[in-house]
Amino acid sequence: MPPGDQSSFAASVPAVHAGRVRLGVVVFTAGGGTLATEIAASRLLAPYFGSSTIVWANIIGLILVYLSVGYWLGGRVADRRPEPRLLGLIVLTAAVLIASTPFVARPILDVAVRGLDAISVGAAIGSFFAALALFPVPFTLLGSVSPFALRLALPQVEQAGTVAGRLYALSTVGSIVGTFASALVTIPLVGTQRTMIGSAALLAFAAALVLGGRYFLLAALVAGLALVPPGAIKPVPGLLYETESAYQYVQVVQRPTGARVLHENEGVVAHSLWYPNTVLTGGEWDMFLVCPPLLGRPPHRILIVGNAGGTIARAYGRLYPGIAIDGVELDPAVTEAGRRYLGLGDNPRLRVITGDGRPYLEGTDRRYDLILLDAYRQPYVPFYLATKEFFQLARDRLAPGGAIALNVAAVPGDDRLADALESTVRAAFPQAWRWQPLRFNELLLGFDRPVGRGTLDSRVGGVPAEAAPLVSLFRRDVRQVAPGSEVLTDDRAPVEWLTDRMIVRYAVEGGRLHEQPLPTAP
């Protein structure tokens, strides 16, 4: 650019500039506040919609849209009104909106979930509209900060690269700090609400650096919202216990019948169920009671992947007391809830292992007569527990003559997810069988050596008397799985896509998530 043009450009820049340090603080804080609020947003939605990959994709994707709009608007507004005061007001407005989000979100999410439950819509759609309703304005405002600050900090064109690099580096470092601080420190220590308020308070103080005077008092008022008790995260009748763990939202509710139910995240289904006077539930956990006799020999040690509150282990402890059980549960908060409210400690032969099922199997040398997989829960299946590689690993950890049993979710008239899992199990095991005693759950069995239908019919008669009503159902409905074409692998396992299609189709056809209990129901 000719020198005359440079002089013209420099002359066009207003004489009023925010100080470099103050602008740097604003940009750094905006970057940190953006990512900390994004992490907190995922936690805010998790009790209602879960934390699957699709929910995360909705949150991240929409926030990127908001930030992109903010970058564009911020540049245009800054060119028209390059005033530090306006930048301060933008940041302050974003801070106030973020601080108010935890208080306005729960009523909105409660209404949304009730409406979505009425039409049985999946979490993908629900989380999309929740993120669309709650977060566009604050994230758009935060997106405008960096281009606005760049316009204020740019005294002459030959320094454009240096100034832009410095400000965007500060924003990125702030984002890194906000990510790790919120995920590893503030959310575990003080919770989601106070994490969002803390992020908002820092943004408000950064805005006050630019605005000055009485705005520091307003920033202090925003920070003071942290003193408001969070209250119940997801209040429901009969609430006994709730917490936000490092992994998820955990809730225990007592029903009017005296039964206690463990819910995780969105609470679409019960993850564990406890009755005071029986180990039977009438639910999907009772399906697993047919498994030990099917081996044709007494099992000595079994593994439960997805132990949750210990419903299956409790039933095995009562009905199969000679079996030693290893129960793998990822979240120690779930195990603690099980011990306090769901009788997890009723089985002295249960050893709880805190960890993820697949890494545990990778690292153990133990061999099991049975591996029970109860981590398959509506609406979503952890993909890495649904692949050929995982089932081959599980088969390698079975004792000779052992078997694996899976609780697989389904909806009437749509077997795409179940078919994919059956094909995948069949690819890793020489024989597989399926049994669907419930509308929304089936038991998928993989044997390490072929077993005839007549043999299965004979062996299942060995179940304990309390579970005898399951025998006729099993003999009537169990059928062998043929090899299939779609095999899920670690590289490609679109289980969430299959699940959402399944749920949406069922909702469009007018289906309702209402289950008929097994004949073992109390």
Side-chain angles (χ1 to χ4, degrees):
M1 178 181 291
D5 291 341
Q6 291 181 9
S7 300
S8 176
F9 176 86
S12 69
V13 179
V16 179
H17 297 290
R20 287 180 56 184
V21 174
R22 286 180 293 164
L23 278 180
V25 170
V26 169
V27 169
F28 176 89
T29 307
T34 299
L35 267 293
T37 304
E38 183 174 344
I39 297 292
S42 72
R43 304 287 294 202
L44 199 65
L45 268 58
Y48 301 87
F49 305 109
S51 56
S52 70
T53 304
I54 289 179
V55 174
W56 265 106
N58 283 335
I59 294 170
I60 294 171
L62 285 174
I63 287 175
L64 287 174
V65 170
Y66 306 149
L67 291 175
S68 298
V69 174
Y71 299 148
W72 177 74
L73 285 176
R76 287 180 63 87
V77 172
D79 281 343
R80 293 180 181 181
R81 292 183 57 189
E83 304 165 9
R85 178 179 175 78
L86 180 56
L87 174 62
L89 291 174
I90 288 172
V91 176
L92 186 61
T93 303
V96 171
L97 291 173
I98 290 170
S100 64
T101 298
F103 302 101
V104 302
R106 284 166 188 156
I108 293 172
L109 294 174
D110 283 333
V111 171
V113 167
R114 284 197 294 270
L116 294 171
D117 283 348
I119 58 173
S120 302
V121 171
I125 296 174
S127 60
F128 179 88
F129 283 105
L132 198 63
L134 291 173
F135 305 119
V137 178
F139 280 103
T140 299
L141 292 174
L142 289 176
S144 71
V145 171
S146 289
F148 203 123
L150 177 60
R151 178 67 173 85
L152 295 178
L154 194 61
Q156 50 192 6
V157 71
E158 63 265 21
Q159 297 181 11
T162 300
V163 173
R166 181 178 71 246
L167 290 179
Y168 281 100
L170 280 172
S171 177
T172 301
V173 172
S175 298
I176 294 169
V177 173
T179 299
F180 286 106
S182 59
L184 302 180
V185 180
T186 60
I187 289 176
L189 287 180
V190 300
T192 300
Q193 176 174 306
R194 288 185 172 126
T195 294
M196 296 190 83
I197 292 172
S199 300
L202 290 175
L203 287 167
F205 278 110
L209 285 177
V210 177
L211 296 170
R214 62 184 181 278
Y215 291 98
F216 283 102
L217 177 59
L218 182 56
L221 291 175
V222 171
L225 291 174
L227 299 176
V228 177
I233 300 168
K234 192 177 179 182
V236 295
L239 181 65
L240 292 177
Y241 173 80
E242 65 172 355
T243 189
E244 287 185 288
S245 73
Y247 298 95
Q248 61 198 333
Y249 170 74
V250 181
Q251 179 191 72
V252 179
V253 175
Q254 182 157 315
R255 294 175 175 172
T257 60
R260 294 175 180 175
V261 186
L262 171 72
H263 294 293
E264 297 174 8
N265 285 325
E266 70 278 7
V268 173
V269 297
H271 286 74
S272 289
L273 183 59
W274 174 91
Y275 285 93
N277 299 316
T278 179
V279 296
L280 301 175
T281 65
E284 60 266 29
W285 307 274
D286 293 357
M287 297 189 303
F288 289 101
L289 295 176
V290 305
C291 295
L294 297 180
L295 297 179
R297 57 177 175 77
H300 300 291
R301 182 176 295 277
I302 71 168
L303 174 69
I304 300 174
V305 177
N307 188 61
T311 300
I312 297 173
R314 183 170 179 250
Y316 269 56
R318 181 80 57 83
L319 304 180
Y320 298 104
I323 301 177
I325 301 175
D326 288 345
V328 178
E329 172 54 48
L330 176 65
D331 192 344
V334 171
T335 300
E336 175 62 22
R339 292 192 190 280
R340 291 177 60 182
Y341 299 101
L342 300 160
L344 185 145
D346 290 353
N347 184 358
R349 294 177 63 80
L350 169 65
R351 180 176 73 112
V352 177
I353 300 159
T354 299
D356 206 335
R358 183 161 175 175
Y360 170 75
L361 280 174
E362 291 277 7
T364 186
D365 293 327
R366 288 196 171 191
R367 295 295 181 266
Y368 295 96
D369 300 295
L370 270 173
I371 296 177
L372 310 182
L373 192 59
D374 197 30
Y376 290 176
R377 290 291 186 176
Q378 294 169 323
Y380 297 112
V381 174
F383 88 90
Y384 57 92
L385 299 180
T387 64
K388 180 180 178 181
E389 292 86 348
F390 170 74
F391 294 126
Q392 288 172 334
L393 170 64
R395 183 181 176 187
D396 290 341
R397 297 298 182 267
L398 288 175
I404 187 171
L406 294 63
N407 169 23
V408 180
V411 299
D414 194 329
D415 295 328
R416 281 173 290 187
L417 177 61
D419 288 345
L421 287 168
E422 289 165 6
S423 298
T424 308
V425 170
R426 183 62 180 80
F429 285 82
Q431 191 183 67
W433 297 79
R434 65 181 293 180
W435 173 46
Q436 187 169 354
L438 293 164
R439 294 180 69 215
F440 299 105
N441 296 88
E442 73 170 53
L443 190 70
L444 180 57
L445 296 155
F447 291 89
D448 77 340
R449 59 197 61 185
V451 181
R453 171 62 184 267
T455 301
L456 287 181
D457 286 348
S458 174
R459 288 177 178 177
V460 76
V463 301
E466 293 90 337
L470 300 174
V471 173
S472 60
L473 288 178
F474 183 87
R475 288 172 174 166
R476 184 189 70 191
D477 297 329
V478 70
R479 60 186 179 86
Q480 191 169 349
V481 174
S485 58
E486 183 171 11
V487 175
L488 306 177
T489 66
D490 285 352
D491 180 63
R492 183 180 179 276
V495 290
E496 292 174 322
W497 180 77
L498 288 170
T499 304
D500 274 314
R501 288 185 63 191
M502 184 172 69
I503 293 174
V504 170
R505 177 185 170 184
Y506 186 63
V508 169
E509 293 175 353
R512 294 292 183 268
L513 298 177
H514 177 69
E515 184 66 273
Q516 294 294 326
L518 289 171
T520 49

